[in-house]
Amino acid sequence: MTSRATSARPRPRRAVRHLLLGLTVALVAALTPAGVPTPAQAAPTLLSQGRPATASSTENAGTPAAAAFDGNTGTRWASAFSDPQWLQVDLGARATLSQVTLQWEGAYARAFQLQTSDDGATWTTIYSTTTGAGGTQTLAVTGAGRYVRMYGTARGTGYGYSLWEFQVYGETGGGTPTCGSTNAAQGRPVTASSTENAGTPASAAVDGNAGTRWASAASDPQWLRVDLGSTQSICRVVLTWEAAYARAFQLQTSADGNTWTTIYSTTTGAGGTQTLAVTGSGRYLRMYGTARGTTYGYSLWELAVNTTGGTSEPPVDPTDPRNPNLGPNTFVFDPSTPTATIQSRLNTLFTQQETNQFGPQRYAVLFKPGTYTADVNLGFFTQVAGLGMSPDDVNLNGHVRVEAAWFGGNATQNFWRAAENLSVTLPAGVSVERWAVSQAAPYRRMHLRGAQNQIQLWNGGDGWSSGGLMADTRVDGLVVSGSQQQWYSRNSEFGNGWTGSVWNMVFQGVTGAPPPSFPNPSHTVIPQTPQVREKPFLYVDGTGEYRVFVPALRNNSTGTSWYGKTPAGSSISLSQFFIVQPGTSAATINAAWPRASTCSSPRACTTSPSRSRSTGPTR
């Protein structure tokens, strides 16, 4: 007669796992000699069990975040099938951590970080791997915080991330650390001596993403430098090396980006993750490599800097309109930034983007109100913009230009870049600015100063160009179209007029436009713009708050909306926007669009969605 137990269906894998665990415990107990005392040890305290938990996503209602902290190895948290994903626990109070145990289900993390935070917003990595193998991982860690999370960047299977249990051990009452936990380098401007290719830029080493990296040319020496924004007391540097590591390198600090002091040096580096206690201060920190550990260049997944004391900028808070996090590929300069730092950043971006026509990189360079000296040469997918209420609030002594040297002078492929809300004063003895573009490259809300100057819409003597837009712009001097095949100018002012024509030049609401004469020359002139609302723009007001100005609708207009007049429109604080960061889930973005009822009666009901803004340059 067959028993009920043996005729039942096979056990699910969770039950089998529990049975094997029980057999293992029994076997260990049986093999332990009786009467042999074990050394007395202070066991770490399990802090995470039953604590509040949140996650980036859940696979379904049966796999909630709380299941990883309930002490039951038969329940689990599982995420959506995408990267990155995270699971976070609130310990209730600050704690000093000593151990984390992760019990993975079959869907494990191949690459992940363990991170701590005091506020649930700013995170410090205390463990990182890109070679996770799943199973049960018991990890000795050193760190402190109220919040602990597993941040997964690469799954080991086609499923999501899945944890039976996530256990955090340590002692509560960690106190204020001598060395802070905030990564002062994350998202800051960074430059390098070289890059291996367009896919390994310097910015990838400070973007907080363990799946992106900076890599240098395969030669010695090479360096990576980060601008912390102000003088900082540096107490710890964490280098997460890719396989191409530094055998010999120095960590150096500088107040001005020119004179350097060495605060750490080694000739026996072994790669991996190096957590280095250091003592030094400066606005700039750089890794200066003198001997590679492989035949490749130097390659860092992440460079993290921890600080204590000193002067610092306010912590980045994406909801703070005075100090928003605009993403790692947006670089914001103010008049106190050294000219050399600004130009180095601009040169690095142009070198990377000059021919990067089909690459995924996107960048924005923003200038707060003030005066600067800079040569802005724009490559693909790069936006430069001023953060003033008027273009004249930001003046660049130099250039904001587009050239076509990379394509033999032919500008017919110079797409996807933009200049907005700036005034430009050309260097002494120079009278020509060049904007050699062809489509998707607006010159908008700009002011080219000097009646003796001209802007050329081609490469100035060689090659062709084919299409562009100039809007809400004042050129004090002359616009020269050259080989430009077609162009649309709207609501602009040309102090010394326009010269040139090929196929089709359209002028609408432009003062200083040539007389209508299509088709020879091909000038189509519309005296006024019947209705227009200029593009909204980001600016910084007198209190330092970031705001978005929405220009008013204009009727039958000519000329710019700003030159010699007060712009009409409305101003909205950036706190009313949701800034999308890399890795933000679709569910989070969708949740940022609540519909707030403004009904006075059912028939008069309207809805007003909140505004959303993604980080990075616009096109």
Side-chain angles (χ1 to χ4, degrees):
M1 181 175 179
T2 303
S3 68
R4 182 180 180 89
T6 58
S7 63
R9 66 180 182 177
R11 292 177 182 266
R13 61 177 174 171
R14 295 178 188 170
V16 172
R17 183 176 178 279
H18 298 159
L19 177 61
L20 291 175
L21 180 61
L23 291 174
T24 301
V25 172
L27 180 61
V28 171
L31 295 178
T32 301
V36 178
T38 58
Q41 296 181 355
T45 301
L46 177 60
L47 304 174
S48 55
Q49 191 162 310
R51 298 300 310 170
T54 53
S56 54
S57 66
T58 56
E59 182 180 358
N60 55 55
T63 56
F69 302 97
D70 61 2
N72 182 352
T73 55
T75 61
R76 64 188 177 98
W77 163 72
S79 78
F81 300 176
S82 62
D83 296 307
Q85 300 289 340
W86 52 263
L87 178 65
Q88 169 184 322
V89 62
D90 177 1
L91 303 179
R94 199 170 200 279
T96 300
L97 310 183
S98 58
Q99 178 182 304
V100 172
T101 299
L102 301 171
Q103 293 177 271
W104 295 100
E105 195 245 3
Y108 66 96
R110 177 167 52 81
F112 69 93
Q113 303 168 37
L114 295 178
Q115 300 175 322
T116 61
S117 175
D118 289 324
D119 57 8
T122 302
W123 296 90
T124 298
T125 298
I126 60 174
Y127 174 84
S128 179
T129 184
T130 59
T131 57
T136 298
Q137 295 180 271
T138 300
L139 307 171
V141 297
T142 301
R146 172 174 173 169
Y147 302 88
V148 182
R149 76 175 178 183
M150 185 289 298
Y151 187 81
T153 56
R155 292 163 289 142
T157 72
Y159 298 98
Y161 298 82
S162 182
L163 280 165
W164 297 107
E165 285 293 298
F166 181 177
Q167 298 173 322
V168 179
Y169 295 87
E171 298 179 1
T172 56
T176 303
T178 301
C179 192
S181 58
T182 299
N183 180 3
Q186 187 166 324
R188 297 300 308 170
V190 61
T191 54
S193 53
S194 66
T195 56
E196 181 181 2
N197 55 55
T200 56
S203 60
V206 294
D207 61 2
N209 183 350
T212 62
R213 64 187 177 94
W214 162 70
S216 77
S219 62
D220 297 309
Q222 300 288 340
W223 52 263
L224 180 73
R225 180 184 74 178
V226 61
D227 177 1
L228 303 178
S230 59
T231 299
Q232 305 279 342
S233 295
I234 300 169
C235 53
R236 185 187 303 117
V237 175
V238 181
L239 301 169
T240 306
W241 294 100
E242 196 247 0
Y245 65 97
R247 178 168 52 82
F249 68 93
Q250 302 167 34
L251 296 178
Q252 302 173 323
T253 61
S254 174
D256 58 6
N258 296 311
T259 303
W260 296 91
T261 299
T262 298
I263 59 173
Y264 174 85
S265 180
T266 184
T267 58
T268 57
T273 298
Q274 294 181 270
T275 302
L276 306 172
V278 296
T279 301
S281 65
R283 173 172 175 165
Y284 302 88
L285 179 132
R286 76 175 177 182
M287 185 290 299
Y288 188 83
T290 55
R292 292 162 289 141
T294 71
T295 58
Y296 298 98
Y298 298 82
S299 183
L300 278 167
W301 294 110
E302 284 295 301
L303 166 66
V305 179
N306 299 137
T307 63
T308 180
T311 59
S312 64
E313 294 181 337
V316 171
D317 177 357
T319 65
D320 182 356
R322 295 161 302 173
N323 194 40
N325 184 351
L326 298 177
N329 287 358
T330 300
F331 304 97
V332 181
F333 297 124
D334 61 50
S336 68
T337 308
T339 297
T341 299
I342 296 172
Q343 195 60 55
S344 177
R345 164 58 55 193
L346 294 169
N347 292 346
T348 298
L349 290 178
F350 178 70
T351 299
Q352 176 181 309
Q353 298 299 108
E354 181 183 14
T355 63
N356 194 19
Q357 185 171 5
F358 301 108
Q361 293 78 19
R362 306 289 186 270
Y363 297 100
V365 180
L366 308 179
F367 291 87
K368 290 184 177 181
T371 300
Y372 304 81
T373 298
D375 179 10
V376 182
N377 197 356
L378 290 174
F380 284 100
F381 302 113
T382 307
Q383 176 199 35
V384 60
L387 291 173
M389 184 63 180
S390 164
D392 288 341
D393 291 340
V394 179
N395 183 55
L396 294 185
N397 291 305
H399 292 279
V400 175
R401 59 192 174 103
V402 177
E403 310 279 359
W406 74 279
F407 205 53
N410 187 337
T412 55
Q413 293 190 41
N414 274 358
F415 310 148
W416 306 317
R417 62 203 77 193
E420 301 180 67
N421 204 27
L422 294 162
S423 67
V424 180
T425 301
L426 297 180
V430 176
S431 60
V432 174
E433 186 73 296
R434 192 165 289 128
W435 191 256
V437 299
S438 294
Q439 306 172 40
Y443 195 81
R444 186 195 304 270
R445 198 178 170 83
M446 295 288 289
H447 184 191
L448 180 60
R449 298 171 181 259
Q452 76 283 2
N453 296 325
Q454 62 176 254
I455 183 169
Q456 297 180 349
L457 305 182
W458 65 318
N459 211 54
D462 55 353
W464 297 95
S465 50
S466 183
L469 167 70
M470 187 175 286
D472 205 21
T473 286
R474 177 174 175 83
V475 176
D476 290 349
L478 178 68
V479 182
V480 181
S481 63
S483 69
Q484 186 62 245
Q485 295 167 346
Q486 57 264 324
W487 192 270
Y488 176 45
S489 301
R490 180 188 56 72
N491 287 93
S492 294
E493 301 169 9
F494 305 151
N496 284 337
W498 170 290
T499 181
S501 173
V502 178
W503 291 341
N504 191 20
M505 305 295 164
V506 177
F507 307 86
Q508 184 170 10
V510 174
T511 60
S517 55
F518 191 88
N520 187 24
S522 58
H523 294 159
T524 299
V525 180
I526 305 170
Q528 295 180 325
T529 303
Q531 279 196 329
V532 64
R533 188 193 302 273
E534 299 293 344
K535 176 186 173 185
F537 59 90
L538 187 68
Y539 76 103
V540 177
D541 69 12
T543 69
E545 179 178 338
Y546 283 75
R547 303 184 68 86
V548 173
F549 187 78
V550 182
L553 184 68
R554 293 196 292 161
N555 297 301
N556 300 319
S557 60
T558 60
T560 69
S561 66
W562 56 271
Y563 186 75
K565 64 195 75 166
T566 300
S570 58
S571 178
I572 307 167
S573 171
L574 198 62
S575 64
Q576 301 302 304
F577 291 71
F578 178 79
I579 301 177
V580 179
Q581 299 291 341
T584 303
S585 68
T588 301
I589 296 172
N590 289 338
W593 291 89
R595 293 190 173 272
S597 175
T598 58
C599 300
S600 58
S601 67
R603 293 178 64 87
C605 187
T606 61
T607 57
S608 177
S610 67
R611 301 168 180 86
S612 178
R613 183 180 188 273
S614 62
T615 61
T618 59
R619 303 200 298 275

